[in-house]
Amino acid sequence: LALYFHSGEREEKCIIEDVPSDTLVIGNYKVQRWDIHKQDFLESAPGLGMFVTVTTPAAEVLLSKLYGPQGTFSFTSDLSGEHVICLQSNSTRFVAFAGSQLRIHLDIRVGEHFLDESVVQAKDKVNEVNLRLEHLIEQIHHISKEQNYEREREEKFRKTSEETNSNILWWAIVQTLILISIGIWQIKSLRDFFISKKLV
């Protein structure tokens, strides 16, 4: 997931990432500040930092830390489900920058362990192949974990759908019985009325 969004100073912005349990999530971000004179976003935002907060599906805070204007954060999910990742800029000490419009570039990678190319190049060919194989095995484990998580979600959704369909069926049967009962009662009431008025 790679995106950018605009934010005011100290304004909190959150995204929701659906993550399987025991999965590494790595986020890279960069903050740019709007320059009134150049009418463009500058590459650096001096004096600014970002509070990064990650909340689990059980509403527990997994990560809460202040980083600089550019940084990397990571966490490993304990539970599967929707994790809320929030970013909020801290207040700058520079009056000229206060209240600036910010652009935040965010790149989130789920379940990826990056290969350090410099390490790969420094090793001999056998070690390079071993390292790449280990990386591939990690990716296979992650894909398997993702598939199991999607299977669990599909099963939960199917159960919910079946329960809903069952409830709808029973509600339709109850409505039909109520309508039949009201119809029989109306017919009996009309018959008794006609008999009492000696019309039948």
Side-chain angles (χ1 to χ4, degrees), residues 9-69:
E9 191 178 336
R10 295 196 63 79
E11 182 183 357
E12 186 177 57
K13 296 280 187 172
C14 299
I15 63 164
I16 296 172
E17 191 69 35
D18 208 348
V19 183
S21 61
D22 194 31
T23 301
L24 176 68
V25 178
I26 298 171
N28 292 301
Y29 73 87
K30 179 176 76 171
V31 182
Q32 294 176 306
R33 181 184 53 81
W34 176 256
D35 187 276
I36 299 170
H37 305 295
K38 293 185 179 177
Q39 291 293 303
D40 196 8
F41 285 97
L42 298 180
E43 279 304 308
S44 62
L48 281 172
M50 292 298 290
F51 286 107
V52 179
T53 308
V54 179
T55 310
T56 67
E60 295 174 357
V61 177
L62 195 61
L63 173 69
S64 180
K65 193 173 177 183
L66 175 63
Y67 294 87

Short mmCIF file of all heavy atoms in Angstrom, two decimals, residues 9-69:
data_model
loop_
_atom_site.label_atom_id
_atom_site.label_comp_id
_atom_site.label_asym_id
_atom_site.label_seq_id
_atom_site.Cartn_x
_atom_site.Cartn_y
_atom_site.Cartn_z
N GLU A 9 -1.25 20.68 10.65
CA GLU A 9 -0.35 20.43 11.77
C GLU A 9 -1.15 19.91 12.97
O GLU A 9 -2.21 20.42 13.29
CB GLU A 9 0.39 21.71 12.14
CG GLU A 9 1.51 21.48 13.10
CD GLU A 9 2.27 22.77 13.43
OE1 GLU A 9 2.23 23.69 12.60
OE2 GLU A 9 2.87 22.82 14.49
N ARG A 10 -0.65 18.85 13.60
CA ARG A 10 -1.27 18.17 14.74
C ARG A 10 -2.60 17.51 14.40
O ARG A 10 -3.33 17.08 15.28
CB ARG A 10 -1.44 19.13 15.94
CG ARG A 10 -0.13 19.62 16.51
CD ARG A 10 -0.27 20.23 17.88
NE ARG A 10 -0.73 19.28 18.89
CZ ARG A 10 0.04 18.37 19.49
NH1 ARG A 10 1.31 18.29 19.18
NH2 ARG A 10 -0.45 17.56 20.38
N GLU A 11 -2.93 17.43 13.13
CA GLU A 11 -4.15 16.73 12.71
C GLU A 11 -3.84 15.24 12.58
O GLU A 11 -2.87 14.86 11.92
CB GLU A 11 -4.65 17.29 11.38
CG GLU A 11 -5.94 16.65 10.90
CD GLU A 11 -6.38 17.16 9.55
OE1 GLU A 11 -5.72 18.07 8.99
OE2 GLU A 11 -7.37 16.65 9.03
N GLU A 12 -4.67 14.40 13.19
CA GLU A 12 -4.42 12.96 13.16
C GLU A 12 -5.14 12.34 11.96
O GLU A 12 -6.30 12.61 11.71
CB GLU A 12 -4.93 12.31 14.46
CG GLU A 12 -4.57 10.84 14.56
CD GLU A 12 -5.01 10.22 15.87
OE1 GLU A 12 -6.21 10.29 16.18
OE2 GLU A 12 -4.15 9.68 16.58
N LYS A 13 -4.41 11.51 11.23
CA LYS A 13 -4.97 10.78 10.10
C LYS A 13 -4.74 9.30 10.34
O LYS A 13 -3.64 8.89 10.72
CB LYS A 13 -4.30 11.19 8.79
CG LYS A 13 -4.53 12.63 8.39
CD LYS A 13 -5.87 12.83 7.75
CE LYS A 13 -6.00 14.25 7.22
NZ LYS A 13 -7.19 14.45 6.44
N CYS A 14 -5.76 8.48 10.10
CA CYS A 14 -5.66 7.05 10.37
C CYS A 14 -6.02 6.24 9.13
O CYS A 14 -6.88 6.66 8.34
CB CYS A 14 -6.59 6.65 11.53
SG CYS A 14 -6.20 7.46 13.09
N ILE A 15 -5.38 5.11 8.99
CA ILE A 15 -5.78 4.14 7.97
C ILE A 15 -5.97 2.79 8.65
O ILE A 15 -5.41 2.53 9.72
CB ILE A 15 -4.74 4.02 6.82
CG1 ILE A 15 -3.41 3.50 7.35
CG2 ILE A 15 -4.55 5.33 6.11
CD1 ILE A 15 -2.52 3.00 6.25
N ILE A 16 -6.78 1.95 8.02
CA ILE A 16 -7.06 0.61 8.58
C ILE A 16 -6.39 -0.42 7.68
O ILE A 16 -6.59 -0.41 6.46
CB ILE A 16 -8.57 0.36 8.67
CG1 ILE A 16 -9.20 1.35 9.66
CG2 ILE A 16 -8.86 -1.07 9.10
CD1 ILE A 16 -10.71 1.32 9.69
N GLU A 17 -5.60 -1.29 8.29
CA GLU A 17 -4.91 -2.35 7.54
C GLU A 17 -5.35 -3.69 8.11
O GLU A 17 -5.23 -3.94 9.31
CB GLU A 17 -3.40 -2.16 7.68
CG GLU A 17 -2.58 -3.02 6.76
CD GLU A 17 -2.68 -2.62 5.30
OE1 GLU A 17 -2.80 -1.42 5.00
OE2 GLU A 17 -2.65 -3.53 4.45
N ASP A 18 -5.92 -4.54 7.25
CA ASP A 18 -6.36 -5.87 7.67
C ASP A 18 -5.16 -6.81 7.61
O ASP A 18 -4.62 -7.07 6.54
CB ASP A 18 -7.47 -6.35 6.73
CG ASP A 18 -8.41 -7.32 7.42
OD1 ASP A 18 -8.08 -7.78 8.52
OD2 ASP A 18 -9.48 -7.63 6.87
N VAL A 19 -4.74 -7.31 8.77
CA VAL A 19 -3.48 -8.05 8.88
C VAL A 19 -3.73 -9.40 9.55
O VAL A 19 -4.42 -9.46 10.57
CB VAL A 19 -2.46 -7.25 9.72
CG1 VAL A 19 -1.13 -7.96 9.79
CG2 VAL A 19 -2.27 -5.85 9.17
N PRO A 20 -3.15 -10.49 9.02
CA PRO A 20 -3.22 -11.78 9.72
C PRO A 20 -2.38 -11.74 11.01
O PRO A 20 -1.55 -10.85 11.18
CB PRO A 20 -2.60 -12.78 8.72
CG PRO A 20 -2.52 -12.07 7.43
CD PRO A 20 -2.47 -10.61 7.73
N SER A 21 -2.60 -12.69 11.89
CA SER A 21 -1.83 -12.72 13.14
C SER A 21 -0.38 -13.09 12.85
O SER A 21 -0.07 -13.74 11.84
CB SER A 21 -2.45 -13.73 14.11
OG SER A 21 -2.42 -15.02 13.55
N ASP A 22 0.51 -12.69 13.76
CA ASP A 22 1.94 -13.00 13.70
C ASP A 22 2.54 -12.59 12.35
O ASP A 22 3.24 -13.37 11.71
CB ASP A 22 2.15 -14.49 13.98
CG ASP A 22 3.61 -14.80 14.26
OD1 ASP A 22 4.31 -13.92 14.79
OD2 ASP A 22 4.07 -15.91 13.91
N THR A 23 2.24 -11.37 11.91
CA THR A 23 2.72 -10.87 10.63
C THR A 23 3.46 -9.56 10.82
O THR A 23 3.00 -8.68 11.55
CB THR A 23 1.53 -10.65 9.66
OG1 THR A 23 0.84 -11.88 9.49
CG2 THR A 23 2.00 -10.15 8.31
N LEU A 24 4.60 -9.44 10.17
CA LEU A 24 5.40 -8.23 10.25
C LEU A 24 4.82 -7.17 9.31
O LEU A 24 4.53 -7.46 8.15
CB LEU A 24 6.86 -8.53 9.85
CG LEU A 24 7.80 -7.33 9.81
CD1 LEU A 24 8.03 -6.76 11.20
CD2 LEU A 24 9.12 -7.71 9.16
N VAL A 25 4.64 -5.96 9.82
CA VAL A 25 4.17 -4.83 9.02
C VAL A 25 5.23 -3.73 9.11
O VAL A 25 5.65 -3.36 10.20
CB VAL A 25 2.82 -4.30 9.54
CG1 VAL A 25 2.37 -3.10 8.72
CG2 VAL A 25 1.76 -5.38 9.50
N ILE A 26 5.67 -3.26 7.95
CA ILE A 26 6.70 -2.22 7.88
C ILE A 26 6.11 -1.00 7.19
O ILE A 26 5.50 -1.12 6.12
CB ILE A 26 7.94 -2.70 7.12
CG1 ILE A 26 8.58 -3.90 7.84
CG2 ILE A 26 8.97 -1.58 6.98
CD1 ILE A 26 9.67 -4.59 7.06
N GLY A 27 6.26 0.16 7.80
CA GLY A 27 5.76 1.40 7.21
C GLY A 27 6.88 2.41 7.03
O GLY A 27 7.68 2.63 7.94
N ASN A 28 6.94 3.01 5.86
CA ASN A 28 7.88 4.09 5.58
C ASN A 28 7.07 5.35 5.31
O ASN A 28 6.07 5.28 4.59
CB ASN A 28 8.74 3.79 4.35
CG ASN A 28 9.70 2.64 4.60
OD1 ASN A 28 10.52 2.71 5.50
ND2 ASN A 28 9.59 1.58 3.82
N TYR A 29 7.48 6.47 5.86
CA TYR A 29 6.76 7.71 5.59
C TYR A 29 7.76 8.85 5.40
O TYR A 29 8.91 8.79 5.82
CB TYR A 29 5.79 8.03 6.74
CG TYR A 29 6.48 8.50 7.98
CD1 TYR A 29 6.79 9.84 8.17
CD2 TYR A 29 6.89 7.58 8.94
CE1 TYR A 29 7.47 10.26 9.29
CE2 TYR A 29 7.57 8.00 10.07
CZ TYR A 29 7.86 9.34 10.24
OH TYR A 29 8.54 9.76 11.33
N LYS A 30 7.26 9.90 4.76
CA LYS A 30 8.05 11.12 4.56
C LYS A 30 7.08 12.30 4.61
O LYS A 30 6.00 12.24 4.01
CB LYS A 30 8.76 11.09 3.21
CG LYS A 30 9.59 12.34 2.92
CD LYS A 30 10.37 12.21 1.62
CE LYS A 30 9.46 12.39 0.42
NZ LYS A 30 10.17 12.48 -0.85
N VAL A 31 7.45 13.34 5.36
CA VAL A 31 6.59 14.52 5.50
C VAL A 31 7.16 15.66 4.67
O VAL A 31 8.35 15.96 4.73
CB VAL A 31 6.49 14.96 6.99
CG1 VAL A 31 5.56 16.16 7.12
CG2 VAL A 31 6.02 13.82 7.85
N GLN A 32 6.28 16.31 3.88
CA GLN A 32 6.66 17.50 3.13
C GLN A 32 5.80 18.67 3.61
O GLN A 32 4.63 18.48 3.95
CB GLN A 32 6.44 17.30 1.63
CG GLN A 32 7.34 16.25 1.01
CD GLN A 32 7.01 16.03 -0.46
OE1 GLN A 32 5.86 15.76 -0.79
NE2 GLN A 32 8.00 16.15 -1.31
N ARG A 33 6.39 19.87 3.65
CA ARG A 33 5.68 21.06 4.13
C ARG A 33 5.38 21.99 2.96
O ARG A 33 6.20 22.20 2.08
CB ARG A 33 6.53 21.79 5.19
CG ARG A 33 5.89 23.02 5.76
CD ARG A 33 6.83 23.73 6.73
NE ARG A 33 8.14 24.00 6.14
CZ ARG A 33 8.40 25.02 5.35
NH1 ARG A 33 7.46 25.87 5.02
NH2 ARG A 33 9.63 25.19 4.88
N TRP A 34 4.18 22.58 2.96
CA TRP A 34 3.79 23.51 1.90
C TRP A 34 4.53 24.83 2.08
O TRP A 34 4.56 25.41 3.17
CB TRP A 34 2.28 23.75 1.97
CG TRP A 34 1.79 24.76 0.98
CD1 TRP A 34 1.42 26.05 1.23
CD2 TRP A 34 1.61 24.57 -0.42
NE1 TRP A 34 1.02 26.67 0.09
CE2 TRP A 34 1.13 25.79 -0.95
CE3 TRP A 34 1.83 23.50 -1.29
CZ2 TRP A 34 0.85 25.95 -2.30
CZ3 TRP A 34 1.55 23.66 -2.63
CH2 TRP A 34 1.06 24.87 -3.13
N ASP A 35 5.14 25.29 1.01
CA ASP A 35 5.85 26.56 1.03
C ASP A 35 5.01 27.61 0.31
O ASP A 35 4.70 27.46 -0.88
CB ASP A 35 7.22 26.43 0.35
CG ASP A 35 8.05 27.69 0.51
OD1 ASP A 35 7.86 28.61 -0.31
OD2 ASP A 35 8.87 27.74 1.45
N ILE A 36 4.64 28.67 1.04
CA ILE A 36 3.75 29.70 0.47
C ILE A 36 4.45 30.44 -0.68
O ILE A 36 3.83 30.74 -1.70
CB ILE A 36 3.32 30.71 1.56
CG1 ILE A 36 2.55 29.98 2.66
CG2 ILE A 36 2.49 31.84 0.98
CD1 ILE A 36 2.29 30.80 3.90
N HIS A 37 5.73 30.72 -0.52
CA HIS A 37 6.46 31.51 -1.52
C HIS A 37 6.67 30.71 -2.81
O HIS A 37 6.48 31.23 -3.90
CB HIS A 37 7.81 31.97 -0.95
CG HIS A 37 7.68 32.72 0.33
ND1 HIS A 37 7.03 33.93 0.43
CD2 HIS A 37 8.07 32.41 1.60
CE1 HIS A 37 7.05 34.36 1.68
NE2 HIS A 37 7.68 33.45 2.43
N LYS A 38 7.05 29.45 -2.68
CA LYS A 38 7.31 28.62 -3.87
C LYS A 38 6.04 27.97 -4.39
O LYS A 38 6.04 27.40 -5.49
CB LYS A 38 8.35 27.54 -3.56
CG LYS A 38 9.72 28.12 -3.27
CD LYS A 38 10.74 27.02 -3.08
CE LYS A 38 12.12 27.61 -2.81
NZ LYS A 38 13.12 26.58 -2.55
N GLN A 39 4.96 28.02 -3.60
CA GLN A 39 3.69 27.40 -3.97
C GLN A 39 3.87 25.92 -4.34
O GLN A 39 3.36 25.43 -5.34
CB GLN A 39 3.03 28.15 -5.16
CG GLN A 39 2.54 29.53 -4.79
CD GLN A 39 1.36 29.50 -3.82
OE1 GLN A 39 0.34 28.89 -4.10
NE2 GLN A 39 1.53 30.12 -2.67
N ASP A 40 4.64 25.25 -3.48
CA ASP A 40 4.91 23.83 -3.71
C ASP A 40 5.28 23.19 -2.38
O ASP A 40 5.60 23.87 -1.40
CB ASP A 40 6.07 23.67 -4.71
CG ASP A 40 6.13 22.26 -5.28
OD1 ASP A 40 5.20 21.46 -5.02
OD2 ASP A 40 7.12 21.95 -5.97
N PHE A 41 5.25 21.86 -2.35
CA PHE A 41 5.65 21.13 -1.15
C PHE A 41 7.17 20.94 -1.17
O PHE A 41 7.72 20.44 -2.15
CB PHE A 41 4.95 19.77 -1.08
CG PHE A 41 3.51 19.88 -0.69
CD1 PHE A 41 2.52 19.90 -1.65
CD2 PHE A 41 3.13 19.97 0.65
CE1 PHE A 41 1.18 20.00 -1.29
CE2 PHE A 41 1.80 20.07 1.02
CZ PHE A 41 0.82 20.09 0.05
N LEU A 42 7.82 21.35 -0.08
CA LEU A 42 9.27 21.19 0.03
C LEU A 42 9.61 19.77 0.44
O LEU A 42 8.84 19.10 1.12
CB LEU A 42 9.83 22.17 1.06
CG LEU A 42 9.63 23.66 0.75
CD1 LEU A 42 10.23 24.50 1.85
CD2 LEU A 42 10.25 24.02 -0.59
N GLU A 43 10.80 19.33 0.05
CA GLU A 43 11.22 17.96 0.32
C GLU A 43 11.38 17.68 1.81
O GLU A 43 11.14 16.59 2.28
CB GLU A 43 12.54 17.64 -0.40
CG GLU A 43 12.34 17.30 -1.87
CD GLU A 43 11.38 16.13 -2.08
OE1 GLU A 43 11.57 15.07 -1.47
OE2 GLU A 43 10.42 16.30 -2.85
N SER A 44 11.81 18.69 2.58
CA SER A 44 12.04 18.46 4.00
C SER A 44 11.08 19.32 4.82
O SER A 44 10.62 20.36 4.37
CB SER A 44 13.48 18.77 4.38
OG SER A 44 13.74 20.14 4.13
N ALA A 45 10.80 18.85 6.03
CA ALA A 45 9.93 19.60 6.94
C ALA A 45 10.67 19.74 8.27
O ALA A 45 10.44 18.98 9.20
CB ALA A 45 8.61 18.87 7.12
N PRO A 46 11.61 20.71 8.37
CA PRO A 46 12.42 20.83 9.60
C PRO A 46 11.56 21.16 10.81
O PRO A 46 10.59 21.90 10.71
CB PRO A 46 13.39 21.97 9.27
CG PRO A 46 12.73 22.73 8.18
CD PRO A 46 11.94 21.74 7.39
N GLY A 47 11.95 20.59 11.94
CA GLY A 47 11.23 20.86 13.19
C GLY A 47 10.00 20.03 13.38
O GLY A 47 9.34 20.12 14.41
N LEU A 48 9.66 19.22 12.39
CA LEU A 48 8.44 18.40 12.50
C LEU A 48 8.80 16.96 12.81
O LEU A 48 9.83 16.45 12.37
CB LEU A 48 7.63 18.44 11.20
CG LEU A 48 6.78 19.69 10.97
CD1 LEU A 48 6.19 19.67 9.58
CD2 LEU A 48 5.67 19.78 12.00
N GLY A 49 7.93 16.30 13.53
CA GLY A 49 8.06 14.87 13.79
C GLY A 49 6.68 14.25 13.67
O GLY A 49 5.68 14.96 13.55
N MET A 50 6.63 12.94 13.67
CA MET A 50 5.35 12.23 13.52
C MET A 50 5.15 11.28 14.70
O MET A 50 6.03 10.47 15.00
CB MET A 50 5.31 11.43 12.22
CG MET A 50 5.29 12.27 10.97
SD MET A 50 3.86 13.34 10.81
CE MET A 50 2.59 12.16 10.52
N PHE A 51 3.99 11.41 15.34
CA PHE A 51 3.57 10.42 16.32
C PHE A 51 2.90 9.29 15.53
O PHE A 51 1.93 9.53 14.81
CB PHE A 51 2.56 10.99 17.32
CG PHE A 51 3.16 11.92 18.33
CD1 PHE A 51 2.94 13.29 18.25
CD2 PHE A 51 3.93 11.43 19.38
CE1 PHE A 51 3.49 14.15 19.18
CE2 PHE A 51 4.48 12.28 20.31
CZ PHE A 51 4.26 13.65 20.22
N VAL A 52 3.41 8.08 15.68
CA VAL A 52 2.80 6.92 15.02
C VAL A 52 2.18 6.04 16.10
O VAL A 52 2.84 5.67 17.07
CB VAL A 52 3.84 6.10 14.22
CG1 VAL A 52 3.19 4.90 13.57
CG2 VAL A 52 4.50 6.98 13.16
N THR A 53 0.88 5.76 15.94
CA THR A 53 0.16 4.92 16.90
C THR A 53 -0.51 3.79 16.14
O THR A 53 -1.17 4.03 15.13
CB THR A 53 -0.91 5.74 17.65
OG1 THR A 53 -0.30 6.90 18.20
CG2 THR A 53 -1.53 4.93 18.77
N VAL A 54 -0.32 2.57 16.63
CA VAL A 54 -0.95 1.39 16.03
C VAL A 54 -1.83 0.73 17.08
O VAL A 54 -1.38 0.45 18.19
CB VAL A 54 0.10 0.38 15.51
CG1 VAL A 54 -0.58 -0.84 14.92
CG2 VAL A 54 1.01 1.03 14.48
N THR A 55 -3.10 0.52 16.73
CA THR A 55 -4.06 -0.09 17.64
C THR A 55 -4.55 -1.41 17.06
O THR A 55 -4.85 -1.50 15.87
CB THR A 55 -5.26 0.85 17.86
OG1 THR A 55 -4.78 2.15 18.20
CG2 THR A 55 -6.16 0.36 18.99
N THR A 56 -4.61 -2.44 17.91
CA THR A 56 -5.02 -3.78 17.48
C THR A 56 -6.55 -3.85 17.37
O THR A 56 -7.25 -2.95 17.85
CB THR A 56 -4.54 -4.85 18.47
OG1 THR A 56 -5.23 -4.65 19.71
CG2 THR A 56 -3.05 -4.75 18.71
N PRO A 57 -7.09 -4.95 16.80
CA PRO A 57 -8.55 -5.13 16.76
C PRO A 57 -9.17 -5.18 18.16
O PRO A 57 -10.35 -4.89 18.32
CB PRO A 57 -8.72 -6.47 16.04
CG PRO A 57 -7.48 -6.66 15.25
CD PRO A 57 -6.40 -6.00 16.03
N ALA A 58 -8.37 -5.52 19.17
CA ALA A 58 -8.87 -5.57 20.55
C ALA A 58 -8.71 -4.22 21.24
O ALA A 58 -8.82 -4.13 22.47
CB ALA A 58 -8.13 -6.65 21.34
N ALA A 59 -8.43 -3.16 20.47
CA ALA A 59 -8.28 -1.78 20.96
C ALA A 59 -7.09 -1.62 21.90
O ALA A 59 -7.07 -0.73 22.74
CB ALA A 59 -9.56 -1.29 21.63
N GLU A 60 -6.07 -2.47 21.76
CA GLU A 60 -4.84 -2.33 22.54
C GLU A 60 -3.82 -1.57 21.70
O GLU A 60 -3.72 -1.79 20.49
CB GLU A 60 -4.28 -3.70 22.91
CG GLU A 60 -5.18 -4.50 23.84
CD GLU A 60 -4.65 -5.92 24.06
OE1 GLU A 60 -3.63 -6.28 23.45
OE2 GLU A 60 -5.29 -6.65 24.84
N VAL A 61 -3.05 -0.71 22.34
CA VAL A 61 -2.03 0.06 21.63
C VAL A 61 -0.79 -0.82 21.47
O VAL A 61 -0.17 -1.23 22.43
CB VAL A 61 -1.68 1.36 22.39
CG1 VAL A 61 -0.56 2.10 21.69
CG2 VAL A 61 -2.91 2.24 22.51
N LEU A 62 -0.47 -1.10 20.21
CA LEU A 62 0.67 -1.96 19.89
C LEU A 62 1.95 -1.16 19.71
O LEU A 62 3.04 -1.62 20.02
CB LEU A 62 0.35 -2.75 18.61
CG LEU A 62 1.21 -3.94 18.26
CD1 LEU A 62 1.14 -5.00 19.36
CD2 LEU A 62 0.76 -4.56 16.94
N LEU A 63 1.79 0.07 19.22
CA LEU A 63 2.95 0.94 18.98
C LEU A 63 2.53 2.38 19.19
O LEU A 63 1.47 2.80 18.70
CB LEU A 63 3.47 0.75 17.55
CG LEU A 63 4.57 1.69 17.06
CD1 LEU A 63 5.88 1.42 17.78
CD2 LEU A 63 4.76 1.58 15.56
N SER A 64 3.33 3.13 19.92
CA SER A 64 3.09 4.57 20.10
C SER A 64 4.46 5.22 20.26
O SER A 64 5.10 5.07 21.30
CB SER A 64 2.21 4.81 21.33
OG SER A 64 1.98 6.19 21.48
N LYS A 65 4.88 5.94 19.22
CA LYS A 65 6.25 6.45 19.24
C LYS A 65 6.35 7.71 18.39
O LYS A 65 5.63 7.86 17.40
CB LYS A 65 7.20 5.37 18.69
CG LYS A 65 8.66 5.66 18.93
CD LYS A 65 9.52 4.47 18.52
CE LYS A 65 10.99 4.78 18.69
NZ LYS A 65 11.84 3.68 18.25
N LEU A 66 7.27 8.61 18.80
CA LEU A 66 7.54 9.82 18.03
C LEU A 66 8.75 9.60 17.14
O LEU A 66 9.80 9.17 17.61
CB LEU A 66 7.79 11.00 18.99
CG LEU A 66 8.19 12.32 18.33
CD1 LEU A 66 7.09 12.85 17.43
CD2 LEU A 66 8.57 13.34 19.39
N TYR A 67 8.57 9.88 15.84
CA TYR A 67 9.64 9.75 14.86
C TYR A 67 9.94 11.13 14.27
O TYR A 67 9.24 12.10 14.56
CB TYR A 67 9.24 8.79 13.74
CG TYR A 67 9.04 7.35 14.18
CD1 TYR A 67 7.80 6.93 14.65
CD2 TYR A 67 10.07 6.43 14.12
CE1 TYR A 67 7.61 5.61 15.05
CE2 TYR A 67 9.89 5.11 14.52
CZ TYR A 67 8.65 4.72 14.98
OH TYR A 67 8.46 3.42 15.37
N GLY A 68 10.93 11.20 13.41
CA GLY A 68 11.30 12.45 12.75
C GLY A 68 10.43 12.73 11.54
O GLY A 68 9.42 12.07 11.32
N PRO A 69 10.84 13.72 10.70
CA PRO A 69 10.04 14.06 9.52
C PRO A 69 10.07 12.98 8.44
O PRO A 69 9.27 13.00 7.51
CB PRO A 69 10.68 15.35 9.00
CG PRO A 69 12.05 15.35 9.58
CD PRO A 69 11.99 14.60 10.87
#
